[in-house]
Amino acid sequence: MKLMLALASDESLSIISQNIKPLGFDLIRYRHILKAMDNIDEVDPDGIIISAQDFPRHWKILVQFVRSERPKEICPIILLNGATFSQEEAVKAFYLGVSGIIAENMRHCSEVDRLQSILERYIRLEDKRRSRRYHVEDWPGIGFCMINPLNKVLLTAAVKTISSSGISFTLDHAELAENILVEEEIAECSLRAGNDILSPICQVIRKEPVMSMEFIFLSGPEQIMLEDFLENIPCQAAKEKQA
């Protein structure tokens, strides 16, 4: 699947790449609107993300150009808005055929989740539970700790995101994990997922700015428990929002 990005900000590109690539998209980025328009037919994207902040006068041109041949059902368009984006502009955007609008900086986890949800609404993914990364910061029903395999020190952590294939977190004492390298296998891990305690074997895939690990082994029953937990996350999030 291909996702066309029309944006100038490297920071926005980094956030999108970190959160959308796991859904199975190839990202094709353009810094200039006209170049993106010239390559629409060649790229044939499954979806498009445009920064209204980077292109305040030209995003409408790209949306109209795409919608002249590609309806929402074939190619969703998501607009990234900035601080000066008005309600009137939002109305125009939806009138022209934009599929969704989210904040450019995506500082809040909810904005990233909305971006994923909009894409999933229009684009069929092979396995949403496996590929989707959920933001679960400060949730009481999830926790993670592990044993440093090199010195047997217990490392506790605050979970940031989770999917059925991996997890990211910040360590409570990062200095205790300085000797752990990328690609290190961590056999002694404990993951709380709701009422269940799982014991995945993990591999480090990134250490900074947060530590990310891939689950390289989960028993069959534990995999089912984790997927059931992930399936219920949207419902739990809605309940907490109402509370």
Side-chain angles (χ1 to χ4, degrees), residues 19-20 23 102 106 108-121 132-137 139 160-162 233-234 237:
N19 291 281
I20 299 305
L23 295 178
I102 66 171
M106 289 176 278
H108 298 290
C109 298
S110 60
E111 291 297 304
V112 176
D113 288 339
R114 285 187 61 232
L115 174 59
Q116 293 178 332
S117 296
I118 293 168
L119 290 172
E120 290 175 355
R121 189 188 313 155
R132 180 166 183 177
R133 179 180 301 175
Y134 295 89
H135 290 82
V136 292
E137 296 179 54
W139 275 37
K160 297 298 183 183
T161 66
I162 186 171
I233 280 181

Side-chain angles (χ1 to χ4, degrees), residues 176-226:
L176 299 178
E178 289 181 351
N179 57 346
I180 296 178
L181 303 177
V182 173
E183 298 187 356
E184 189 87 52
E185 183 176 306
I186 313 293
E188 297 175 277
C189 300
S190 181
L191 169 64
R192 180 188 175 194
N195 296 322
D196 299 311
I197 304 297
L198 315 180
S199 301
I201 297 176
C202 303
Q203 185 175 48
V204 180
I205 58 175
R206 188 175 66 247
K207 290 190 65 175
E208 295 178 353
V210 297
M211 181 170 279
S212 296
M213 304 180 75
E214 177 185 9
F215 301 140
I216 58 176
F217 176 78
L218 269 174
S219 67
E222 288 184 325
Q223 187 70 52
I224 293 173
M225 291 176 189
L226 179 56

